Amino acid sequence: MVQLIGISNAITSLNEVDRTFHLTRSNEATFFTEWFEPLPALTESDTEKLNFLKERYVYYAADNSISEGTLNFIIVAPLLEMVHLCDPPFKIKAEQAVKIELEDKEMILQGFIDALVVQNQFWVVVIEAKRYGFNASLAIPQTLAYMMANPQRQKPVFGIVTNGEDYLFVKLNQEAKSYDFSDKLTLSKRMNEDFYQVLQVMKQIKNYLLS
């Protein structure tokens, strides 16, 4: 008899991701270079906008935790707009319900993720900081599980996980059964270079999606 199990209950660690989907975190230096080199240049207008968005985030964060909906509105949507991921030829789908059938385990994983998905190849996952103790990396296992539902398996898929303050990029190659994720980029530093890099990586991923 096939079991129906919620993703949030079944997948809570990278070890569970590896066991459930037979995945391995890649140790190849060339597997996920998109997040650090070579990155597209930013314009002066880009950096000014990012500085403004950081100030906005700090203003809202002063009231403690920020909901996913508010984060989407004040910082995630403007980032997507800056990279033109909301416009042709791209199209965003929000709040995805997914179902993953695991034939070898007679199990179906199902769940609902508050994510924006661009062309089934770029998953934008926004989390409320208090749910993960302000650690965005704890959301990576479930993000990978949802990315495994992607129907387009021929090309790698990418994701970004953020709680507004911290940003991590994820790459999954379903055919090779491999994944990796970036270092944490954060707004908590005095200088804003990490946030600049976030936009640069998003531009890089956009260029990949267009290739």
Side-chain angles (χ1 to χ4, degrees), residues 2-71:
V2 176
Q3 293 180 290
L4 290 176
I5 301 178
I7 289 176
S8 59
N9 295 323
I11 307 296
T12 59
S13 70
L14 289 176
N15 284 337
E16 287 172 346
V17 167
D18 297 348
R19 285 195 301 268
T20 302
F21 301 107
H22 310 296
L23 296 177
T24 303
R25 184 176 180 185
S26 176
N27 57 10
E28 297 180 11
T30 58
F31 180 80
F32 191 12
T33 60
E34 291 89 350
W35 76 270
F36 62 86
E37 66 177 8
L39 295 174
L42 298 183
T43 66
E44 184 177 347
S45 175
D46 287 335
T47 57
E48 288 177 354
K49 179 67 173 178
L50 291 171
N51 292 340
F52 169 77
L53 289 177
K54 179 178 179 178
E55 291 177 4
R56 175 192 281 174
Y57 172 79
V58 171
Y59 169 73
Y60 276 85
D63 291 330
N64 206 350
S65 183
I66 308 173
S67 71
E68 293 99 321
T70 301
L71 284 172

